[in-house]
Amino acid sequence: SSINKIEEKEQMDTENRTHKIICHDCGGNGYRKDCYGEVYQCKECKSQGEITFTEEEMLENIDDAGLPV
């Protein structure tokens, strides 16, 4: 039926959806400083300034109350 097709499409859309967040390590600029003031590339975001998550990864990192784990 058409309802099942709509549900399947929504499920596929959810599986392929991605989210981007600003990198918490470098604050979005792609670089970090060590305690000596030397600048180096952020390894967490690979110097992109943001981290991309799939919908599934986002849901895995959120608890039942909607808070990050």
Side-chain angles (χ1 to χ4, degrees):
S1 80
S2 63
I3 294 175
N4 288 338
K5 289 180 183 178
I6 293 171
E7 288 174 354
E8 287 177 16
K9 184 179 184 318
E10 287 176 356
Q11 184 177 6
M12 287 175 54
D13 289 344
T14 301
E15 290 173 1
N16 296 326
R17 192 176 305 158
T18 59
H19 301 274
K20 292 183 179 183
I21 60 168
I22 294 174
C23 178
H24 57 85
D25 282 353
C26 67
N29 67 13
Y31 296 92
R32 298 182 65 192
K33 286 185 180 181
D34 63 14
C35 60
Y36 304 107
E38 293 188 33
V39 177
Y40 59 96
Q41 293 182 329
C42 180
K43 292 179 182 176
E44 182 70 28
C45 67
K46 299 180 183 140
S47 299
Q48 297 300 305
E50 57 191 21
I51 301 170
T52 304
F53 291 99
T54 63
E55 183 80 9
E56 184 177 332
E57 290 170 328
M58 287 292 286
L59 294 174
E60 287 174 1
N61 292 311
I62 297 175
D63 66 9
D64 293 336
L67 302 171
V69 194

